[in-house]
Amino acid sequence: MEAYPEGSLTHNHPFIVLSGLASESTASGYDASSSQSPLFDEDGPRITSKFPPITTETADQLRSCFLQEAARGSGHNDRVERMNASSVGFNLKIAGRTFRLPTRKANIEKVSQWISPDPSSPTSSQSLVLHSPISPLSPSSPLFPDGVMTPLWITKHQDLLPSAFISFYNLTADPDISSHDNELKEDILKVKQSLASSSSRSRYIVVLLSEASVLDISDLDDRLANIRRGAGLDPKSLFLLPPQTSLAELRDFARTILSAIQPLCIEYYRDLSKHARRKRNRGAVPQPTVPPFRGTSQTLSGQGWNVRYDFKLGILAEFRQEMDAATRHYEGAYDMLLSQDVFESIASWSPRWNEARLLADIISVRVLRCLLWNNQTTSAVRRWQLHRAGVKDIVDRRGKGSANYGWEAWEAKWAKVMADLLQELALPHGGDAIYANPEKAIPVGERLSPWQHLHHAGYWFSLMTRHLYARQRFAEMIPEEDRTSPGQSPASQVANKAYLYDTYLCPEPHQEAPLHGREGVSHFQLIVDGLNMSLQVFEARGQKRVVERLKFEIAKEQMRHGLWTDAIQNLRSLWQNMSWRREGWWSVVQEVCWALRTCARQVGDADTIVSIEWELLNDLFPPRPDGRYDLANCLEGLQSVKSKPKVIFKAGDVVSFLSASHAFGSAEENVGDYLTSQLVISSRAHKRSSPVTLADIRLVYDGGFKPITLRHKAGLDDSDTTGNNSIQYMKVQLEEMSSLQSHQASVSPVTNRGPLFIGDVDLTLIPGQTKVFELAYLLREVGEIRAKSATLSMIEESFEVEYVVPIDDRGFSSIWWNKTAEGLKKQKIVREAVNVLKVLPKPPKMQLSVHGMQPQYYAGERISVDVEILNKEEEETEASLEVRILGDFDETPKLVWMERSDRALVVEGDAAQEPNLPGHRIGKLDPRVTAREEFSFYSWSQPMDYILEVKVLYHLMTDPDTPISRTLTETLSAICPFGASYEFSPRVHPAPWPKHSQSQDEMTSTEDQLSNEKGQGITQRWCIAANVACLAAEKLDVEKVELEVITINDEITCSIVQDDDENSSSSLASTDEARELQFTLDVQRPTLEDRRPASLDLALNIKWKRPEPPDSETFSTRIPAPRLLVPGGEPRVLASVQYSSSVPGLIHLSYTIENRSMHQLTFSLVMESSEDFAFHGPKFGSLQLVPISRHTVRFNLFPTVQGTWIQPQLRVVDRGFNKTLRVVATEGVKTDKKGILIWVNADD
């Protein structure tokens, strides 16, 4: 948009002047459009102030904060942000203490030459009506008398006439403030009077920067009120900035001021719009200052004035950011401008023609911006096309036509306008979309052409470039006599050129197409710049094909003008990465290659020439009659080659005429076998090209296999051919070489790497020939072998080439060539990866077996395994054993190898030689010889499953480098041989408790002694009943069953009083029934005062062994019991039973009530009667127990039933706590939810 007058296409924002924040010398640095028109410089009102500008750091920061709010050049994204913030943006200008406003009326002195001295004349000074200096009514205006509009009016309101004028002053804290405040009021009044004298409606704002805070200036409010009243300011026009304000607060302060004056600015432009609308509604043409005396004798018509008013209304609406209203006014101005009364009435030879055409362009650009601002993309494209078609119609009918360079220049500028608008507004196009979707206002069923969708800026830059090409063609058609400058041509010829060529927004013919040696327009630079601008946009959006096309066009332009170095840089990057090669656009690829070859020969780039010649040999590209197609001599005639070029490239970088493929004969082979593979080299060179001779071919494999190199050796005739020598088949004899030999035998100086397998073949290929090389080699290592790449090397006197074909990506072949009596036949390989071979270990013949394993193992038992190794190999071997024990355990059981008495002694010479095998060494085994080894390990004490993995590692004595293995896996489980359940019940300890008085005396007299002794507390007795069952599937010999105390808490002592006499018997071996074993346990507290609850961890330890063999090892199985909780000092009631031996049926029932506390307790006893028995004893009673004492209440029961359970109910209530004690059963007594149960025998 730089072709149009400055400011004519700029988006308008409210114009505000900031005065006093910078000096006059620095103010111009903050505004790019500080220059004014000469029409406004001389007579405009001058606003001055006697106060110096504020140059403090706070003022500088405040100025920066205001400038951040400037809206000049704001785009679409800024517009969305400002709409969300309810802001319209501003155009700020920093001024010093002096600012000149544009004059409102033309100076009468400038029109004095047209004033008549006769007072009665209509042109006398007394009857003159003065107008604006840029109005068509003023004689000094460039529009006088019939011009429509000038861009100076936009500049006037955008850069010269502010909507608000903000003055900044310091508010001093000097005690002598009266003079300062008075001077401040006088200065403010003077500025207000200057603004009023200019008849400007600009709003005036005053900002005071205080030097002290409110606390330091006690009468600050009074001073501000005095200044406001004395200067005639309203409260909204005066602002105060306190001192020591942070940057964030300054930014908020600036935003607050702009937000406060925004309605005032909008109202200012609304008042201007009302003024323009009133003048438009009058419907009369204003009277000019003087009658028209130059150009035509007519003044501007009424329709022309309506164009002016509508255009002004659109600009003012744009100042208010009312884009819809601006669009309506612009559209009305445009329609009237192109009507019969305005544009059609102007002669094409008149300067007003170009002025009207310029105004039409300006209006259209502003309409486009408004439409794009509102996201009306399709409407904007239609509007762009409508203006282009309308102007073309007018130019063809009444102008100089559209078949000239002037029209193409305007077309290029018009396309660039749309591109600049899109970049300015930064419209979102929806990610990677090529064009924007139409707006919702477009009907759903309406069919849109592709060009009616808004494309991104790159499309419009490309359209601009096409018109620049056409402009260049028209410029080249200008005759030589028209290219002469006007100073060297006759006047008639100059006049003739003015009627022939359209120079609207473009230079004259002598500058458009200058003669040789003269300065003028550089069409090459214009085209290249346009292509680069389009290239940047397309490249940013990832449209790779268009990017490549644009790069090619730039390179062709550079070649056309002899810029070979720049052209080869563009073409080389394009040639290396172009997508046309991958997608098969061979004609375009060939064109790029020939262009790059031409540039390379011009600059002497030998590497590029060799690469291009290699690619052009492919018969995919049609041969050119002038093409030589001789790769070996492609550098002949090239004089600037300084060193021998060495070129390396891969398949995919070029479309090579040579291809390489590789296939293995089978998918799987074993170590020690010979593998057969085939390497196929094919040539697709042009038929009339010269034969190509390769120096060598290098095959590289993944998986540890050694590389293979096939060297060229001429004259070898050990091949089978078929079909006019088009296919040759050859078996290659490979020779394994050492590293030093392979380094000396390397024939490829390009790679400088020596092979480890080498063979000699004939590597000369004629066009269309295929050579099949069959390779055979011995496999030595286990793993997967994958053919990685084949490197084809060509060495000539003038250059060296290395072409790498990655076989794993594209070099695989599904064809296998077989040599038959009828000749060569091809066979299809039916498998997926023909370039992958799986090398399996050599099949082992060593046999493994295990003996002596039990059908069932038990936890904690030692497991012994006897391994038998049988050598079925045909020759002597050396072997070792590896054993792995796998399972769900943290630590692997320790493995112990047993020494065998029949092991052969190791010969002294053999002992000195370390075996090359891991694990437990077996030694050398002759064929058909058996060796036995035994190992053992202890299973864990928990039940667990074990996986036993036994591997024999061996190698043949004739081939020690090839390891062979065989693995045997066995699964075994170790279960727990016994299971147990436990019951805990209390017992009444027979030992008497100490008396309360005695214990008190003892505690008083021997306090120090008791504090150091253990086991002086009350002893409690517990019975542990263990129901033990044997879970083994076979009979086990139980030697002993013990109760172990694992852990004791709270410093109590524990002792096992009595063991069952039958605990050591072997009757636990029965798997059908469980055996109950009882153990008595005494628990004693350390002191009488200790009444804390305690706990015990117990376990049952069973020692057992297998019955066979008799001397088998004894093992121990531990069965943990649940934790035993010993209660503290709470009272309890224990019930025990004893059957009478003298009186049949009589049952002695005893209730022992224990008070283990240090308090005297009182209990109430109630014995409930029952129909099942009669009893003898107290039915009601009361019992008092001193601290640490117990008492036994006895009853004699006479049952009335037999062979059943009776349930006596003694209710014991602690009166102090009103708590009923639970009766606990001991020996001979059971319990349920209701209480204790006593068995009555049937025969009693």
Side-chain angles (χ1 to χ4, degrees):
M1 294 187 289
E2 61 276 0
Y4 293 90
E6 182 180 0
S8 61
L9 303 181
T10 305
H11 178 55
N12 305 115
H13 292 277
F15 177 45
I16 299 176
V17 173
L18 306 181
S19 175
L21 288 182
S23 61
E24 285 78 357
S25 59
T26 60
S28 60
Y30 299 100
D31 186 72
S33 60
S34 60
S35 62
Q36 299 181 358
S37 171
L39 298 175
F40 303 116
D41 278 345
E42 300 178 358
D43 304 322
R46 186 182 182 88
I47 301 176
T48 59
S49 174
K50 63 180 180 180
F51 284 87
I54 305 175
T55 57
T56 61
E57 182 181 357
T58 302
D60 295 338
Q61 294 177 351
L62 183 60
R63 181 177 61 245
S64 300
C65 294
F66 272 105
L67 289 175
Q68 290 177 0
E69 296 296 319
R72 184 182 300 276
S74 62
H76 183 274
N77 295 333
D78 296 330
R79 191 268 305 183
V80 176
E81 180 180 356
R82 295 185 186 280
M83 287 180 61
N84 295 333
S86 300
S87 174
V88 296
F90 297 93
N91 174 25
L92 303 182
K93 181 177 180 180
I94 306 298
R97 288 302 187 185
T98 302
F99 185 80
R100 183 182 295 277
L101 295 173
T103 180
R104 180 178 174 84
K105 301 293 184 180
N107 192 348
I108 193 172
E109 297 179 358
K110 294 184 178 181
V111 297
S112 60
Q113 55 181 324
W114 300 290
I115 298 176
S116 173
D118 185 6
S120 62
S121 174
T123 59
S124 65
S125 59
Q126 298 179 357
S127 60
L128 290 180
V129 179
L130 297 179
H131 301 279
S132 172
I134 57 176
S135 172
L137 304 175
S138 298
S140 59
S141 172
L143 298 179
F144 183 80
D146 56 351
V148 181
M149 198 65 192
T150 175
L152 292 176
W153 186 87
I154 304 175
T155 304
K156 171 184 174 182
H157 289 276
Q158 181 67 28
D159 297 319
L160 303 179
L161 188 59
S163 61
F165 191 91
I166 305 178
S167 295
F168 293 84
Y169 297 97
N170 268 330
L171 184 63
T172 181
D174 191 356
D176 187 12
I177 60 174
S178 59
S179 60
H180 175 269
D181 291 353
N182 292 332
E183 292 177 357
L184 186 59
K185 288 186 290 184
E186 292 176 0
D187 196 83
I188 295 174
L189 285 172
K190 181 180 177 182
V191 174
K192 288 186 62 178
Q193 292 172 2
S194 300
L195 288 174
S197 64
S198 65
S199 300
S200 171
R201 296 181 177 88
S202 302
R203 271 54 172 177
Y204 184 54
I205 308 296
V206 177
V207 179
L208 301 179
L209 279 63
S210 177
E211 295 181 355
S213 63
V214 179
L215 299 178
D216 297 334
I217 306 177
S218 59
D219 57 345
L220 180 61
D221 293 339
D222 296 338
R223 291 180 60 185
L224 293 178
N226 183 28
I227 293 173
R228 185 171 62 251
R229 288 193 301 269
L233 298 175
D234 59 85
K236 295 183 179 180
S237 300
L238 182 63
F239 296 89
L240 176 67
L241 177 65
Q244 300 179 357
T245 308
S246 64
L247 183 60
E249 292 173 339
L250 287 176
R251 189 178 297 111
D252 293 338
F253 180 74
R255 189 176 296 112
T256 301
I257 293 178
L258 294 178
S259 300
I261 66 175
Q262 175 180 320
L264 303 178
C265 297
I266 298 300
E267 187 64 27
Y268 167 80
Y269 291 107
R270 185 169 286 111
D271 291 342
L272 294 180
S273 298
K274 294 178 181 178
H275 178 69
R277 190 175 294 109
R278 284 194 299 267
K279 293 174 65 177
R280 183 183 186 276
N281 293 335
R282 292 172 186 171
V285 177
Q287 179 183 355
T289 302
V290 296
F293 53 85
R294 66 171 181 259
T296 63
S297 59
Q298 297 178 353
T299 59
L300 186 62
S301 64
Q303 291 295 331
W305 282 100
N306 289 335
V307 171
R308 284 178 55 86
Y309 293 139
D310 280 339
F311 181 75
K312 289 180 179 181
L313 290 173
I315 296 292
L316 296 174
E318 197 170 341
F319 270 108
R320 302 191 305 271
Q321 309 303 306
E322 298 175 0
M323 295 303 178
D324 293 334
T327 303
R328 292 193 301 269
H329 292 301
Y330 287 143
E331 291 287 1
Y334 184 84
D335 293 339
M336 285 186 289
L337 177 64
L338 268 65
S339 64
Q340 296 289 334
D341 297 332
V342 184
F343 206 160
E344 295 286 348
S345 63
I346 302 175
S348 61
W349 49 263
S350 173
R352 301 303 183 199
W353 171 275
N354 287 341
E355 291 179 5
R357 188 172 171 185
L358 177 64
L359 180 59
D361 288 350
I362 293 174
I363 295 175
S364 297
V365 172
R366 291 186 172 272
V367 171
L368 291 177
R369 178 185 286 111
C370 293
L371 293 175
L372 294 176
W373 194 275
N374 294 325
N375 289 323
Q376 298 178 10
T377 55
T378 300
S379 299
V381 175
R382 290 177 172 178
R383 189 63 181 80
W384 183 90
Q385 295 172 347
L386 177 65
H387 178 65
R388 175 181 174 274
V391 174
K392 186 175 184 299
D393 176 68
I394 294 177
V395 170
D396 286 340
R397 288 188 296 104
R398 305 191 66 251
K400 299 179 178 64
S402 57
N404 51 67
Y405 76 87
W407 172 257
E408 296 298 338
W410 180 85
E411 285 264 36
K413 291 180 177 62
W414 187 234
K416 188 175 183 299
V417 162
M418 180 64 87
D420 291 341
L421 283 176
L422 293 177
Q423 290 187 331
E424 172 189 337
L425 298 176
L427 288 177
H429 275 74
D432 296 333
I434 299 177
Y435 53 84
N437 294 324
E439 59 268 23
K440 296 181 179 179
I442 303 297
V444 178
E446 183 177 354
R447 301 187 63 179
L448 299 177
S449 303
W451 52 84
Q452 290 181 338
H453 293 274
L454 179 63
H455 293 66
H456 57 78
Y459 165 81
W460 300 97
F461 282 129
S462 180
L463 179 62
M464 176 193 72
T465 307
R466 290 205 297 267
H467 291 294
L468 289 176
Y469 276 117
R471 175 182 178 181
Q472 182 182 21
R473 289 194 299 269
F474 281 113
E476 292 173 353
M477 297 168 56
I478 298 176
E480 185 173 352
E481 58 271 13
D482 292 343
R483 300 183 181 184
T484 308
S485 61
Q488 299 177 357
S489 301
S492 59
Q493 188 174 353
V494 173
N496 187 31
K497 286 193 293 183
Y499 286 97
L500 289 178
Y501 298 101
D502 183 5
T503 57
Y504 172 69
L505 298 181
C506 63
E508 297 290 336
H510 69 279
Q511 295 177 335
E512 181 73 17
L515 296 174
H516 183 69
R518 302 291 181 88
E519 294 183 358
V521 176
S522 175
H523 294 280
F524 162 74
Q525 193 61 44
L526 291 176
I527 292 173
V528 171
D529 291 344
L531 291 173
N532 281 324
M533 288 187 290
S534 180
L535 174 65
Q536 292 176 2
V537 180
F538 279 105
E539 192 170 16
R541 299 186 64 81
Q543 294 180 250
K544 192 171 183 180
R545 293 192 187 95
V546 184
V547 170
E548 293 173 351
R549 178 181 61 81
L550 293 174
K551 286 184 178 180
F552 192 29
E553 290 184 9
I554 293 173
K556 288 191 293 185
E557 281 296 315
Q558 292 169 342
M559 290 173 60
R560 190 177 296 114
H561 289 78
L563 302 177
W564 303 108
T565 303
D566 297 337
I568 196 172
Q569 291 179 356
N570 290 328
L571 287 174
R572 188 184 291 115
S573 63
L574 173 62
W575 175 76
Q576 291 173 351
N577 304 309
M578 59 181 171
S579 61
W580 300 327
R581 182 186 292 115
R582 296 190 300 269
E583 297 170 358
W585 295 11
W586 306 123
S587 58
V588 185
V589 174
Q590 183 183 21
E591 187 177 354
V592 174
C593 289
W594 279 106
L596 181 57
R597 180 182 179 275
T598 303
C599 292
R601 295 199 72 88
Q602 290 290 336
V603 301
D605 189 349
D607 292 356
T608 302
I609 293 175
V610 173
S611 302
I612 293 299
E613 290 287 350
W614 183 285
E615 185 167 15
L616 287 176
L617 277 179
N618 198 308
D619 60 1
L620 287 172
F621 308 113
R624 289 192 175 185
D626 55 345
R628 185 175 179 182
Y629 300 106
D630 186 0
L631 183 60
N633 302 313
C634 63
L635 298 182
E636 286 186 0
L638 200 64
Q639 304 296 332
S640 59
V641 180
K642 298 180 180 179
S643 60
K644 184 178 181 180
K646 298 179 181 180
V647 183
I648 302 176
F649 48 85
K650 298 181 180 180
D653 297 342
V654 297
V655 184
S656 176
F657 71 99
L658 291 180
S659 61
S661 61
H662 179 275
F664 289 109
S666 59
E668 295 181 352
E669 291 291 345
N670 293 16
V671 173
D673 296 340
Y674 275 90
L675 172 67
T676 302
S677 65
Q678 286 185 356
L679 175 66
V680 180
I681 305 297
S682 301
S683 172
R684 293 192 58 181
H686 291 293
K687 293 182 179 180
R688 61 188 182 90
S689 63
S690 302
V692 175
T693 301
L694 300 177
D696 59 56
I697 301 175
R698 182 183 178 88
L699 278 173
V700 179
Y701 298 88
D702 282 339
F705 191 75
K706 302 173 182 178
I708 299 175
T709 293
L710 304 181
R711 302 181 302 186
H712 171 66
K713 187 175 182 180
L716 291 179
D717 193 14
D718 188 17
S719 61
D720 295 322
T721 62
T722 179
N724 297 328
N725 204 27
S726 61
I727 302 178
Q728 288 188 356
Y729 175 87
M730 178 181 294
K731 289 188 176 181
V732 183
Q733 299 294 329
L734 297 178
E735 178 184 358
E736 185 175 5
M737 308 181 70
S738 62
S739 300
L740 179 60
Q741 292 173 337
S742 63
H743 181 72
Q744 296 174 352
S746 178
V747 297
S748 177
V750 177
T751 58
N752 197 20
R753 295 174 299 184
L756 293 176
F757 284 100
I758 195 168
D760 295 329
V761 293
D762 186 2
L763 294 179
T764 300
L765 290 94
I766 62 176
Q769 188 179 32
T770 298
K771 290 197 173 186
V772 182
F773 304 106
E774 185 169 306
L775 313 174
Y777 31 81
L778 181 66
L779 298 175
R780 298 183 181 274
E781 297 182 2
V782 177
E784 185 180 85
I785 299 177
R786 181 183 296 270
K788 183 179 180 181
S789 64
T791 303
L792 284 61
S793 300
M794 181 178 180
I795 301 177
E796 299 293 338
E797 294 182 359
S798 56
F799 64 88
E800 296 176 2
V801 175
E802 188 172 90
Y803 175 60
V804 182
V805 182
I807 294 177
D808 53 348
D809 292 335
R810 68 195 73 207
F812 57 87
S813 173
S814 59
I815 300 299
W816 185 266
W817 294 90
N818 294 316
K819 181 180 178 182
T820 63
E822 300 176 356
L824 294 177
K825 301 292 184 182
K826 60 182 180 180
Q827 176 185 356
K828 186 175 180 61
I829 303 177
V830 187
R831 66 174 186 270
E832 293 184 0
V834 299
N835 59 327
V836 178
L837 172 69
K838 187 176 183 181
V839 182
L840 304 176
K842 187 173 182 178
K845 297 182 181 180
M846 193 79 72
Q847 298 295 324
L848 273 179
S849 59
V850 293
H851 304 279
M853 296 185 66
Q854 298 291 341
Q856 180 66 62
Y857 288 99
Y858 306 105
E861 183 181 8
R862 184 170 66 87
I863 301 175
S864 299
V865 181
D866 191 1
V867 183
E868 181 181 272
I869 305 100
L870 174 60
N871 182 19
K872 288 190 176 183
E873 296 285 351
E874 302 297 333
E875 49 187 302
E876 186 181 15
T877 62
E878 185 177 17
S880 66
L881 276 178
E882 277 190 353
V883 178
R884 294 174 57 196
I885 303 175
L886 308 177
D888 189 12
F889 40 74
D890 297 332
E891 184 180 355
T892 306
K894 185 178 180 181
L895 199 68
V896 178
W897 291 93
M898 304 298 180
E899 294 292 338
R900 303 185 64 89
S901 59
D902 56 348
R903 179 184 295 277
L905 295 176
V906 180
V907 184
E908 184 177 352
D910 295 339
Q913 181 182 1
E914 282 292 330
N916 194 21
L917 293 171
H920 179 70
R921 186 184 180 192
I922 299 175
K924 297 180 180 179
L925 295 177
D926 293 330
R928 303 294 176 182
V929 172
T930 300
R932 301 178 72 93
E933 297 290 338
E934 184 179 0
F935 64 90
S936 65
F937 64 93
Y938 282 94
S939 63
W940 296 109
S941 59
Q942 296 83 12
M944 194 172 298
D945 293 333
Y946 300 88
I947 299 176
L948 200 63
E949 186 180 274
V950 183
K951 180 190 292 186
V952 58
L953 301 172
Y954 70 97
H955 59 253
L956 303 179
M957 299 303 296
T958 58
D959 189 11
D961 294 335
T962 304
I964 308 173
S965 65
R966 178 180 285 276
T967 303
L968 176 65
T969 302
E970 293 287 341
T971 302
L972 54 92
S973 61
I975 66 173
C976 186
F978 300 98
S981 61
Y982 299 90
E983 292 183 4
F984 302 104
S985 59
R987 294 290 186 266
V988 179
H989 197 279
W993 283 22
K995 295 182 180 180
H996 177 61
S997 59
Q998 179 182 358
S999 60
Q1000 290 288 353
D1001 295 339
E1002 290 177 357
M1003 287 187 294
T1004 304
S1005 61
T1006 60
E1007 181 178 355
D1008 297 335
Q1009 179 181 358
L1010 290 176
S1011 62
N1012 296 326
E1013 291 182 358
K1014 299 293 182 181
Q1016 296 299 322
I1018 298 175
T1019 302
Q1020 298 180 9
R1021 174 162 292 181
W1022 294 84
C1023 178
I1024 293 92
N1027 293 318
V1028 184
C1030 181
L1031 305 179
E1034 55 188 313
K1035 184 178 181 181
L1036 300 178
D1037 292 340
V1038 179
E1039 295 183 351
K1040 191 175 183 181
V1041 181
E1042 300 176 335
L1043 181 66
E1044 294 183 356
V1045 179
I1046 301 176
T1047 57
I1048 302 176
N1049 300 325
D1050 296 332
E1051 300 181 355
I1052 63 175
T1053 59
C1054 180
S1055 60
I1056 300 175
V1057 178
Q1058 176 184 358
D1059 287 338
D1060 199 311
D1061 294 338
E1062 299 180 357
N1063 285 350
S1064 301
S1065 66
S1066 60
S1067 61
L1068 291 178
S1070 175
T1071 58
D1072 296 334
E1073 58 184 10
R1075 168 82 185 279
E1076 180 176 328
L1077 305 177
Q1078 293 188 355
F1079 302 91
T1080 303
L1081 188 68
D1082 284 350
V1083 178
Q1084 186 177 17
R1085 298 184 178 275
T1087 61
L1088 293 176
E1089 294 84 357
D1090 187 4
R1091 292 180 298 277
R1092 296 173 299 172
S1095 62
L1096 298 174
D1097 292 329
L1098 307 174
L1100 199 65
N1101 191 10
I1102 303 175
K1103 295 183 179 180
W1104 58 275
K1105 67 177 182 178
R1106 291 181 181 268
E1108 294 295 337
D1111 58 346
S1112 61
E1113 185 179 355
T1114 300
F1115 306 103
S1116 178
T1117 298
R1118 175 181 289 180
I1119 306 175
R1123 176 167 292 183
L1124 172 62
L1125 297 178
V1126 181
E1130 296 292 331
R1132 65 176 182 173
V1133 180
L1134 302 179
S1136 59
V1137 171
Q1138 185 176 2
Y1139 294 93
S1140 175
S1141 58
S1142 58
V1143 180
L1146 180 61
I1147 300 175
H1148 302 289
L1149 175 60
S1150 301
Y1151 291 95
T1152 301
I1153 304 173
E1154 299 178 350
N1155 179 14
R1156 290 173 291 174
S1157 67
M1158 299 301 293
H1159 307 281
Q1160 181 176 342
L1161 300 178
T1162 303
F1163 303 95
S1164 61
L1165 308 178
V1166 177
M1167 184 66 175
E1168 297 181 359
S1169 59
S1170 174
E1171 296 179 355
D1172 296 335
F1173 63 88
F1175 68 92
H1176 175 267
K1179 182 174 179 58
F1180 302 99
S1182 177
L1183 178 64
Q1184 290 186 350
L1185 291 180
V1186 297
I1188 312 177
S1189 63
R1190 64 180 179 177
H1191 180 76
T1192 302
V1193 180
R1194 294 180 175 86
F1195 294 90
N1196 294 324
L1197 303 182
F1198 296 92
T1200 59
V1201 294
Q1202 295 183 353
T1204 184
W1205 296 89
I1206 62 176
Q1207 195 167 35
Q1209 295 287 344
L1210 176 65
R1211 191 155 52 90
V1212 181
V1213 179
D1214 185 352
R1215 292 182 178 179
F1217 296 94
N1218 194 21
K1219 179 181 179 182
T1220 301
L1221 302 185
R1222 177 176 172 270
V1223 179
V1224 182
T1226 61
E1227 62 269 21
V1229 183
K1230 290 179 61 177
T1231 184
D1232 63 1
K1233 295 181 179 180
K1234 296 181 179 180
I1236 62 174
L1237 296 172
I1238 301 175
W1239 177 257
V1240 179
N1241 294 326
D1243 54 354
D1244 287 344

